[in-house]
Amino acid sequence: MTAGPLRRRLVGFMLLPAIAAVSPLIVLPLISREAGPGGWASAIAGESIGTFAAIVVGYGWPAIGPALISIASGIDERARLYRESLVVRLLLAAVSIPVLGVVCWLVASPGAEWLTVLMGVQGALIALSFTWYCAGVGQPRTIIFYDAVPRVVATAASAAAIAATGIVELYPLAGIAVTLVGTGLFTARLLRRHPGPWPGTRDLPGLLRTGLPVALNDAALSAYSSVPAPLVNVTAAPDAAAGFASADKMFKLGSVLPFTLASALQSWVGEVTGPARGRRVRVALLAHTGFGLLGGAVLAALGHWVSLVLFGADAAAGVDLLIAMGLVFMFLSIRTSMTRHALFPAGQAAVVMRASLIATAVGVPVMIALAIAIGPLGAALGYAVTEGAATLLLWRPCAAAVRALDAADAAHLLDRNREHHDD
């Protein structure tokens, strides 16, 4: 792929989806003020719980799906993969979302129960989205049409409605509607054009076994990313929890950007083999490293002022929290490229899973202990330690996977030379 098409793909995958990702900034300032410190902290806690539920529902498909789609042999195989993913995700959603509702209700501050539950459901249903499929086939326009533009419009409409009525629950309801309607329309179009058999009951155990390593990896990652906000909400005073909620929300909004960058590069990396793919993986890793450094620095330097303007003095994020979250952002950006561009396509899902489980086993206790000892800053520092450990544990396997691309191509050339010599 030449530089021109790559630039267009980067713009297509990052510009409008990124705008959609940060569009909640239109409405979140209203929620933080209407709901008060306790309601605001509860809303972000519910969203974090929803993020963990989304990992359970997604069962690894948003992470490994783009790589599988990008290397699939044809459109029929891609449609088969999508049908399999849909059956698994709908089944897990039916089991997980009722449990999510109970947990969100229990952690909510008095009076914020329904807001917390709906924020959780909105976060969980993102796992049903189709966007990972579009990343695998390199079709950003589909995401823009079915998800990004409707999400921006719905967010703006919910902001106007909240300003008029004060009903903050309208925001998560709008997000839920966009996910269900957009995904439903895309799915109907894709499967109508490319029909095929659906997985049966006998196929489910095999599908669940196949996706288990990636699902466990994502669950471990989500476990430590979902712990801080609910942990702070139950261990800190409402004002302190509100400041942490703002820092966490700003980080989560920004963290969408490394994933959109990874999606933009996914099919570009996967469409070649051997040293060419190795070079592209190195470019992707370098881009994600620079992006992580830049994003972390911006979050640390400007985050306090932005949170003060957006969420008000009662919910402004402290600079110390934002520096810690900046470190988390940097590690997250690097790790995203390592897994999606190098390790998952190389069949190293089990390696990724082990690293995530080890980091979680070490980091979550540190996070809890520091939160109890020094408050919200401790939770943020524990988060940074955990994300950093997950990234560093993958460094050597990632380097080996990239070297293997060169070695495989060299072996292929050697075999060809031998065949030529024998002839």
Side-chain angles (χ1 to χ4, degrees):
M1 181 179 293
T2 61
L6 176 59
R7 281 195 298 269
R8 288 194 294 271
R9 186 170 297 182
L10 285 168
V11 171
F13 269 110
M14 294 197 68
L15 185 58
L16 275 177
I19 292 172
V22 301
S23 65
L25 292 176
I26 301 170
V27 67
L28 291 178
L30 288 170
I31 294 176
S32 68
R33 289 166 172 82
E34 291 284 349
W40 170 240
S42 295
I44 301 305
E47 186 178 59
S48 294
I49 296 168
T51 299
F52 180 77
I55 297 301
V56 176
V57 173
Y59 207 69
W61 283 99
I64 200 170
L68 294 178
I69 294 297
S70 70
I71 61 177
S73 59
I75 186 63
D76 290 334
E77 183 181 354
R78 291 169 180 164
R80 176 185 62 80
L81 289 169
Y82 188 80
R83 278 191 296 271
E84 291 176 351
S85 82
L86 195 61
V87 169
V88 170
R89 289 180 293 149
L90 286 172
L91 175 64
L92 293 173
V95 175
S96 302
I97 289 180
V99 177
L100 172 147
V102 173
V103 175
C104 287
W105 191 279
L106 292 175
V107 304
S109 298
E113 291 87 356
W114 281 113
L115 174 62
T116 308
V117 170
L118 289 171
M119 290 292 286
V121 173
Q122 176 185 227
L125 289 180
I126 290 295
L128 298 180
S129 175
F130 62 92
T131 54
W132 59 268
Y133 180 93
C134 296
V137 297
Q139 292 179 351
R141 285 179 296 181
T142 305
I143 298 176
I144 292 169
F145 182 77
Y146 286 103
D147 186 84
V149 171
R151 201 166 294 278
V152 172
V153 172
T155 301
S158 67
I162 291 171
T165 66
I167 303 174
V168 293
E169 290 82 5
L170 291 172
Y171 165 63
L173 285 172
I176 290 169
V178 169
T179 298
L180 293 180
V181 173
T183 299
L185 291 173
F186 170 83
T187 301
R189 188 190 72 162
L190 174 69
L191 300 185
R192 185 173 59 249
R193 292 180 177 179
H194 306 284
W198 287 83
T201 304
R202 294 181 179 179
D203 300 316
L204 286 176
L207 292 175
L208 293 173
R209 282 195 302 271
T210 301
L212 184 60
V214 181
L216 285 176
N217 168 71
D218 285 355
L221 295 175
S222 181
Y224 69 70
S225 66
S226 301
V227 163
L231 174 64
V232 171
N233 200 46
V234 298
T235 59
D239 289 344
F244 184 89
S246 297
D248 185 71
K249 185 58 185 176
M250 293 176 65
F251 162 74
K252 293 288 174 56
L253 289 172
S255 69
V256 174
L257 298 177
F259 292 110
T260 58
L261 177 60
S263 296
L265 295 171
Q266 187 76 62
S267 60
W268 177 71
V269 170
E271 68 190 9
V272 295
T273 59
R277 181 181 290 186
R279 286 191 294 271
R280 293 189 179 189
V281 170
R282 292 182 181 96
V283 170
L285 286 167
L286 184 61
H288 275 262
T289 300
F291 194 73
L293 289 168
L294 177 62
V298 169
L299 186 62
L302 302 178
H304 174 71
W305 176 80
V306 172
S307 69
L308 184 64
V309 172
L310 290 176
F311 307 127
D314 291 339
V319 175
D320 51 355
L321 291 174
L322 291 162
I323 291 173
M325 288 297 190
L327 289 173
V328 179
F329 183 91
M330 179 190 69
F331 288 125
L332 171 69
S333 181
I334 297 169
R335 181 178 55 77
T336 299
S337 182
M338 292 165 69
T339 56
R340 297 200 176 190
H341 299 139
L343 293 169
F344 284 152
Q348 297 295 311
V351 172
V352 177
M353 176 192 69
R354 284 194 296 271
S356 299
L357 291 174
I358 292 170
T360 301
V362 173
V364 170
V366 171
M367 197 183 302
I368 295 172
L370 289 177
I372 294 172
I374 61 176
L377 177 60
L381 291 173
Y383 194 177
V385 167
T386 311
E387 188 68 58
T391 304
L392 294 175
L393 286 169
L394 292 176
W395 185 256
R396 290 182 65 185
C398 178
V402 176
R403 289 195 300 269
L405 292 170
D406 299 333
D409 192 71
H412 176 68
L413 290 175
L414 181 60
D415 290 339
R416 289 185 59 186
N417 289 335
R418 286 174 177 170
E419 292 173 1
H420 180 73
H421 178 73
D422 290 341
D423 292 341

